[in-house]
Amino acid sequence: SYVLTQPPSVSVAPGQTATITCGGNKIGTKSVHWYQQKPGQAPVLVVFDDLDRPSGIPERFSGSNSGNTATLTVSRVEAGDEADYYCQVWDGPTDHRVFGGGTRLTVL
Amino acid sequence: EVQLVQSGAEVKKPGESLKISCQSSGYSFTDYWIGWVRQMPGKGLECVGVTYPGDSETTYSPSFQGRVTISADRSINTAYLQWSSLKASDTAIYYCVRVETTTSPMDVWGKGTTVTVSS
């Protein structure tokens, strides 16, 4: 089965840039989606199809995808960005949707 | 406004059956897939499976095949996730989600249904 690998945690000071990676075999050939989950809440889609943002998501959230790594970048990090972030793809050969293990973003 | 409204929290004993629901509104129910995502306590997200109410096509992730049943009732725009015999390991929050196509994101999420299985 297809595996997505994320770092368990990322820490960044307010105003700095946070980079969260999602590794997978030839992930650059797949569409990657990113979700933000704050404590006690349902996840929210923040980036889809590698780099697009749903309406209402700040431009500070951006994505990229190439080779074996997809990346979610959060610029000018704010305290309210502290959350768990998950990447997700659809794996064509198995017809299954797969999530990464999640990354906890801590704002110092 | 597109909404997915899930049924309330459940407390069950091992071996009991359960069916939780997800009622959709604000869009054409038969034009989108409806899926279920599990989150065990303190853990990450796992896709349980998805169903297409338009033709009832349903797929399950390998870990859940044979353990749960996903269905939908087009007449009341409602999807279901059911178990015939619960285990303690089924204790989790279950979210229903909307998906447009196979490669699309899960763009709308319900608030989640907490299922607790304990003797």
mmCIF file of all heavy atoms in Angstrom, chain B residues 11-16 87-88 91 116-119:
data_model
loop_
_atom_site.group_PDB
_atom_site.id
_atom_site.type_symbol
_atom_site.label_atom_id
_atom_site.label_comp_id
_atom_site.label_asym_id
_atom_site.label_seq_id
_atom_site.Cartn_x
_atom_site.Cartn_y
_atom_site.Cartn_z
ATOM 1 N N VAL B 11 -22.418 5.192 23.026
ATOM 2 C CA VAL B 11 -21.675 4.340 23.956
ATOM 3 C C VAL B 11 -22.258 2.943 23.846
ATOM 4 O O VAL B 11 -23.466 2.752 24.062
ATOM 5 C CB VAL B 11 -21.761 4.855 25.400
ATOM 6 C CG1 VAL B 11 -20.976 3.929 26.326
ATOM 7 C CG2 VAL B 11 -21.221 6.280 25.508
ATOM 8 N N LYS B 12 -21.424 1.998 23.473
ATOM 9 C CA LYS B 12 -21.884 0.626 23.231
ATOM 10 C C LYS B 12 -20.977 -0.378 23.935
ATOM 11 O O LYS B 12 -19.851 -0.047 24.347
ATOM 12 C CB LYS B 12 -21.867 0.336 21.719
ATOM 13 C CG LYS B 12 -22.886 1.124 20.918
ATOM 14 C CD LYS B 12 -24.289 0.630 21.200
ATOM 15 C CE LYS B 12 -25.290 1.225 20.253
ATOM 16 N NZ LYS B 12 -26.658 0.707 20.494
ATOM 17 N N LYS B 13 -21.466 -1.611 24.037
ATOM 18 C CA LYS B 13 -20.675 -2.696 24.608
ATOM 19 C C LYS B 13 -20.104 -3.547 23.471
ATOM 20 O O LYS B 13 -20.689 -3.612 22.378
ATOM 21 C CB LYS B 13 -21.535 -3.555 25.514
ATOM 22 C CG LYS B 13 -22.081 -2.821 26.729
ATOM 23 C CD LYS B 13 -22.811 -3.770 27.662
ATOM 24 C CE LYS B 13 -23.492 -3.030 28.794
ATOM 25 N NZ LYS B 13 -22.572 -2.152 29.526
ATOM 26 N N PRO B 14 -18.987 -4.204 23.708
ATOM 27 C CA PRO B 14 -18.432 -5.107 22.692
ATOM 28 C C PRO B 14 -19.469 -6.130 22.254
ATOM 29 O O PRO B 14 -20.229 -6.656 23.079
ATOM 30 C CB PRO B 14 -17.264 -5.770 23.430
ATOM 31 C CG PRO B 14 -16.869 -4.787 24.464
ATOM 32 C CD PRO B 14 -18.137 -4.137 24.914
ATOM 33 N N GLY B 15 -19.506 -6.371 20.946
ATOM 34 C CA GLY B 15 -20.443 -7.332 20.393
ATOM 35 C C GLY B 15 -21.756 -6.716 19.931
ATOM 36 O O GLY B 15 -22.505 -7.363 19.180
ATOM 37 N N GLU B 16 -22.055 -5.509 20.362
ATOM 38 C CA GLU B 16 -23.287 -4.855 19.941
ATOM 39 C C GLU B 16 -23.158 -4.305 18.523
ATOM 40 O O GLU B 16 -22.056 -4.123 18.009
ATOM 41 C CB GLU B 16 -23.669 -3.735 20.902
ATOM 42 C CG GLU B 16 -24.074 -4.235 22.267
ATOM 43 C CD GLU B 16 -24.573 -3.133 23.191
ATOM 44 O OE1 GLU B 16 -24.149 -1.971 23.010
ATOM 45 O OE2 GLU B 16 -25.377 -3.426 24.090
ATOM 46 N N LYS B 87 -16.043 -3.815 18.508
ATOM 47 C CA LYS B 87 -14.924 -4.173 19.357
ATOM 48 C C LYS B 87 -14.429 -2.914 20.075
ATOM 49 O O LYS B 87 -14.690 -1.788 19.626
ATOM 50 C CB LYS B 87 -13.777 -4.731 18.523
ATOM 51 C CG LYS B 87 -14.102 -5.973 17.729
ATOM 52 C CD LYS B 87 -12.899 -6.422 16.919
ATOM 53 C CE LYS B 87 -13.193 -7.677 16.127
ATOM 54 N NZ LYS B 87 -12.020 -8.123 15.324
ATOM 55 N N ALA B 88 -13.707 -3.104 21.158
ATOM 56 C CA ALA B 88 -13.157 -1.957 21.875
ATOM 57 C C ALA B 88 -12.280 -1.105 20.959
ATOM 58 O O ALA B 88 -12.216 0.121 21.096
ATOM 59 C CB ALA B 88 -12.365 -2.430 23.091
ATOM 60 N N THR B 91 -13.426 2.147 19.102
ATOM 61 C CA THR B 91 -13.562 3.416 19.808
ATOM 62 C C THR B 91 -12.790 4.502 19.070
ATOM 63 O O THR B 91 -11.575 4.390 18.865
ATOM 64 C CB THR B 91 -13.041 3.286 21.251
ATOM 65 O OG1 THR B 91 -13.883 2.384 21.967
ATOM 66 C CG2 THR B 91 -13.026 4.646 21.947
ATOM 67 N N THR B 116 -17.854 5.121 21.483
ATOM 68 C CA THR B 116 -17.103 4.522 22.587
ATOM 69 C C THR B 116 -17.613 3.108 22.799
ATOM 70 O O THR B 116 -18.815 2.901 22.980
ATOM 71 C CB THR B 116 -17.265 5.333 23.880
ATOM 72 O OG1 THR B 116 -16.859 6.682 23.650
ATOM 73 C CG2 THR B 116 -16.422 4.723 25.004
ATOM 74 N N VAL B 117 -16.709 2.152 22.738
ATOM 75 C CA VAL B 117 -17.065 0.753 22.945
ATOM 76 C C VAL B 117 -16.335 0.259 24.194
ATOM 77 O O VAL B 117 -15.115 0.197 24.228
ATOM 78 C CB VAL B 117 -16.681 -0.113 21.737
ATOM 79 C CG1 VAL B 117 -17.151 -1.562 21.957
ATOM 80 C CG2 VAL B 117 -17.272 0.465 20.458
ATOM 81 N N SER B 118 -17.113 -0.058 25.217
ATOM 82 C CA SER B 118 -16.507 -0.456 26.486
ATOM 83 C C SER B 118 -17.443 -1.373 27.250
ATOM 84 O O SER B 118 -18.658 -1.166 27.248
ATOM 85 C CB SER B 118 -16.200 0.776 27.330
ATOM 86 O OG SER B 118 -15.735 0.413 28.609
ATOM 87 N N SER B 119 -16.862 -2.362 27.898
ATOM 88 C CA SER B 119 -17.680 -3.265 28.690
ATOM 89 C C SER B 119 -17.962 -2.672 30.065
ATOM 90 O O SER B 119 -18.771 -3.215 30.824
ATOM 91 C CB SER B 119 -16.974 -4.618 28.832
ATOM 92 O OG SER B 119 -15.666 -4.435 29.356
#
